[in-house]
Amino acid sequence: MGFKKYSLLGWSDGGITAMIAAARNPELIKKMVVWGSNAFVSQDDLKLYNMVRDVSKWSARMRQPMEEVYGVQAFAKIWEDWVDGIAQFANRPEGSICMELLPLISCPTLIIHGEKDPMVPSFHPHYLHKNIKGSRLHLIPEGKHNLHLRYAEEFNKLVEDFLEE
């Protein structure tokens, strides 16, 4: 597209992708914002993932938008496959997804996290903040995994201010 530098925003697995891209291509990345992301899979994470494996037990509000996109049976299969796939990282040293890459991230980074995120426990954003040099951590006390939707105004202001600095 002709851009020499660009900023990355990544939610959840998209945040993992952004961190990997920022670590491997520091000359291309101006700034990065990640939320609901992690760099490793712990035993606590595995318990959480297995608790939400069966999408039929999810609330309709959480399940229906995905079922409308993928179909009821396809979404259930896609989600089970995701749980199985992410669980495999627990077999790597320290459960690393991209832990070893975090020190290579040199762009200004904003980490946003909902303190009530049921999918990504609060130790993850603190780990990212500690291991990404010069990063900032902003916690949203009532935020959950989809904080960018529920707290869109606050989230958008945070991101916009950060990117415009």
Side-chain angles (χ1 to χ4, degrees), residues 3-8 16-32 101-108:
F3 295 105
K4 291 188 171 115
K5 286 193 100 159
Y6 50 91
S7 294
L8 298 171
I16 295 168
T17 302
M19 290 185 289
I20 293 168
R24 291 188 173 161
N25 304 285
E27 71 287 354
L28 299 176
I29 312 304
K30 187 192 288 187
K31 292 186 176 185
M32 178 173 62
L101 296 176
L102 300 181
L104 303 176
I105 297 172
S106 58
C107 64

Side-chain angles (χ1 to χ4, degrees), residues 73-91:
Q73 289 153 350
F75 173 58
K77 173 81 171 105
I78 289 166
W79 184 255
E80 281 188 22
D81 289 348
W82 179 85
V83 170
D84 291 341
I86 196 77
Q88 291 179 27
F89 285 102
N91 298 323

Side-chain angles (χ1 to χ4, degrees), residues 38-42 45 49 94-99 123-124 127:
N38 52 311
F40 61 91
V41 174
S42 70
D45 296 318
Y49 301 152
E94 299 181 82
S96 179
I97 299 171
C98 61
M99 293 168 66
F123 55 83
H124 285 294
Y127 182 87

